[in-house]
Amino acid sequence: MKTKNLALFASGTGSNALSIIQHFEGNPKVNVAFILCNKTTAPIVERAKSLHQRVILCTNAEVEQPHFLVNLCKENEIDLIILAGFLRKIPTNLILAYPEKIINIHPSLLPKFGGAGMYGAHVHQAVKDANEKETGISIHYVSEEFDTGRIIAQFSVLLNSQDTIVTIQKKVQKLEQIHFARIIEQEIVENGK
Ligand code: GAR
């Protein structure tokens, strides 16, 4: 199998991006080509650099330019794009250039608590406000509408009335650390992505 080149897009802390980097370290079949980040002060920038990863910083205006992301990914021969807490909308032409080759992680059991404005703690707040008995993660392909692409895998965790936004977030992060990189590897190895 030809080595697959991954691009990781991240905007924040980067716990998902880091676990993906660590998961594929030393794997000759998967190469993390770069981490793209749209926030200069995001913790992922220094954390990825400390692991000797190439970090590409971009502006929100660049993300919205029609050809910026497509050119960047094509020039770097990217096979698969991973949205690891990337909070900008992915432009349509990148989705068309990478059909079912862009994977997102969302911190709820889609279709519940997805859509515009639903990210990070906003999702956990909505879950808490709705008195949900469970929450979880959805790993899915990216389509033109927020959080509606084909779901690859979902994992759930039980909630109780004592749970706060912080404990819900911790439960969800635990699922992300256990499953995200493993599911990406499964898509590459078993489904030829
Ligand atoms: C993660 O919980 C991820 O599921 C979520 O942002 C967090 C990023 O954390 N993504 C979304 O809400 C996308 N709508 P990280 O920067 O530590 O990986």
Side-chain angles (χ1 to χ4, degrees), residues 104-115 118-120 122-128 130-140 146-159 168 171-173 175-176 179:
N104 182 43
I105 187 158
H106 186 80
S108 76
L109 295 170
L110 292 173
K112 285 183 164 183
F113 309 107
M118 278 294 178
Y119 59 89
H122 298 288
V123 178
H124 308 312
Q125 179 76 59
V127 166
K128 169 103 183 122
N131 288 316
E132 292 290 301
K133 299 286 174 278
E134 62 170 6
T135 188
I137 59 171
S138 302
I139 298 167
H140 67 97
F146 262 123
D147 302 325
T148 58
R150 181 166 72 84
I151 290 175
I152 304 164
Q154 291 184 303
F155 301 94
S156 61
V157 61
L158 292 176
L159 299 177
I168 295 172
K171 286 179 175 183
V172 166
Q173 280 173 337
L175 290 179
E176 293 180 337
H179 297 292

Side-chain angles (χ1 to χ4, degrees), residues 49-134:
K49 282 184 186 166
S50 73
L51 293 176
H52 309 290
Q53 290 289 322
R54 182 177 167 215
V55 175
I56 298 175
L57 289 168
C58 67
T59 63
N60 292 337
E62 281 173 321
V63 172
E64 285 161 21
Q65 270 173 29
H67 299 296
F68 176 78
L69 292 177
V70 174
N71 291 346
L72 183 68
C73 290
K74 293 291 178 192
E75 278 161 16
N76 285 279
E77 300 183 4
I78 296 302
D79 297 296
L80 204 55
I81 298 165
I82 311 297
L83 308 185
F86 187 69
L87 302 181
R88 303 298 300 180
K89 194 165 190 332
I90 297 299
T92 301
N93 67 336
L94 187 67
I95 297 168
L96 296 177
Y98 282 86
E100 290 220 335
K101 294 284 176 73
I102 308 176
I103 297 177
N104 182 43
I105 187 158
H106 186 80
S108 76
L109 295 170
L110 292 173
K112 285 183 164 183
F113 309 107
M118 278 294 178
Y119 59 89
H122 298 288
V123 178
H124 308 312
Q125 179 76 59
V127 166
K128 169 103 183 122
D129 291 347
N131 288 316
E132 292 290 301
K133 299 286 174 278
E134 62 170 6

